[in-house]
């Protein structure tokens, strides 16, 4: 397995379609509209305009196994007097090694940028989407406020 920075058009396409492939056979997955997924990946969100960010993939020989985006909300950090890195758009196969590789990259970035903490997942749109993290019960329909 290797960590791949998303720095080309082809890698960006792979980053965008990864969750669609990962969950394609899950009847409970509610995919975002492709146009919205592309806008997020291209940085057309309020969060990504507030500071540096990076998309990464973890891949084996032929395919993506996980993805994550991380960055710095410079506006928030200045207003709150904190040094935080955020993460978002986290998706992965069920493999602890992939998760570890993804979060090691977030930690490296935080250290390189002089940040003191990591928070997430947060929404790149500043809405309620992408704020959760499903870790159990993949066999039920999604619901809110139950």
């Amino acid at each position: 397995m290797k960590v791949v920075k998303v720095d080309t058009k082809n890698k960006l396409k792979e980053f965008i379609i990864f969750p669609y492939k990962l969950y394609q056979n899950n009847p409970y997955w509610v995919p975002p509209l492709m146009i919205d997924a592309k806008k997020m990946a291209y940085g057309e969100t309020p969060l990504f305009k507030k500071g540096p960010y990076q998309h990464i993939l973890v891949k084996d020989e032929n395919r993506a196994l996980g993805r994550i985006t991380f960055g710095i909300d410079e506006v928030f950090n200045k207003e709150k007097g904190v040094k935080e890195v955020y993460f978002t758009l986290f998706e992965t196969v069920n493999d602890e090694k992939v998760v570890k590789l993804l979060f090691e990259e977030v930690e490296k970035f935080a250290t390189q940028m002089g940040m003191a903490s990591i928070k997430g997942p947060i929404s790149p749109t500043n809405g309620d989407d992408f704020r959760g993290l499903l870790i159990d019960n993949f066999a039920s329909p999604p619901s809110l406020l139950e």
Side-chain angles (χ1 to χ4, degrees):
M1 285 186 280
K2 63 182 176 179
V3 174
V4 177
K5 286 187 178 182
V6 176
D7 57 5
T8 67
K9 201 170 197 173
N10 285 339
K11 290 175 190 173
L12 190 59
K13 181 179 179 184
E14 190 173 16
F15 182 89
I16 292 166
I17 64 170
F18 175 70
Y20 294 85
K21 287 183 176 183
L22 180 64
Y23 303 120
Q24 69 185 353
N25 295 320
N26 184 327
Y28 302 117
W29 187 55
V30 180
L33 296 173
M34 183 58 75
I35 192 158
D36 291 336
K38 287 179 180 178
K39 283 181 181 179
M40 280 186 283
Y42 283 103
E44 298 174 17
T45 68
L47 179 62
F48 295 157
K49 293 177 181 178
K50 293 180 180 179
Y53 67 91
Q54 176 69 57
H55 303 306
I56 62 165
L57 293 163
V58 168
K59 298 180 68 171
D60 65 9
E61 299 300 320
N62 304 322
R63 64 191 174 109
L65 301 172
R67 75 173 195 174
I68 197 166
T69 299
F70 49 86
I72 299 172
D73 181 340
E74 293 173 337
V75 175
F76 177 86
N77 283 0
K78 186 176 180 181
E79 287 175 357
K80 301 296 182 183
V82 296
K83 292 183 175 186
E84 290 182 342
V85 166
Y86 65 81
F87 74 89
T88 187
L89 304 179
F90 170 70
E91 306 287 347
T92 182
V93 297
N94 188 14
D95 186 330
E96 287 183 35
K97 292 176 187 171
V98 175
V99 174
K100 186 175 185 204
L101 285 171
L102 290 168
F103 282 98
E104 283 175 349
E105 290 300 308
V106 179
E107 291 174 355
K108 282 186 216 173
F109 178 78
T111 300
Q112 290 169 353
M113 301 301 283
M115 299 292 110
S117 62
I118 299 168
K119 70 176 178 180
I122 65 169
S123 171
T125 65
N126 291 337
D128 288 330
D129 54 348
F130 298 99
R131 287 188 189 257
L133 184 63
L134 184 62
I135 57 170
D136 193 16
N137 192 12
F138 291 87
S140 296
S143 61
L144 293 172
L145 302 173
E146 281 198 2

